[in-house]
Amino acid sequence: MNNSIFNDSSNWKWGIFYFNKKDKRLLVPKRLAFLGITINFANPWSILLVLVLILLIISIEMYI
């Protein structure tokens, strides 16, 4: 992915949510790469990933 397209402010909603239909990656580095990764919310698999993470957190919390 072209770095200038990745850093384009129009691909970052509220500065924290990455949304780019041209980028096929599900997980992308944050704008400041040393902070980790984030989800490309334009990818159709992102909804499934978020739901799995939420269910995982809820199930872990119930058993602790």
Side-chain angles (χ1 to χ4, degrees):
M1 180 98 242
N2 187 341
N3 201 23
S4 63
I5 294 172
F6 176 75
N7 287 323
D8 184 8
S9 292
S10 65
N11 294 328
W12 291 90
K13 307 301 179 195
W14 299 308
I16 57 172
F17 298 108
Y18 185 68
F19 191 92
N20 184 353
K21 291 182 180 181
K22 294 178 183 176
D23 190 349
K24 299 299 179 193
R25 299 177 293 177
L26 177 60
L27 299 173
V28 294
K30 290 191 176 189
R31 288 180 114 173
L32 300 173
F34 67 88
L35 291 177
I37 58 174
T38 191
I39 299 170
N40 179 3
F41 287 95
N43 187 314
W45 290 99
S46 64
I47 303 300
L48 180 63
L49 179 63
V50 170
L51 289 174
V52 167
L53 290 174
I54 290 171
L55 290 173
L56 183 65
I57 291 169
I58 291 171
S59 65
I60 289 172
E61 184 175 297
M62 292 176 94
Y63 290 110
I64 292 181

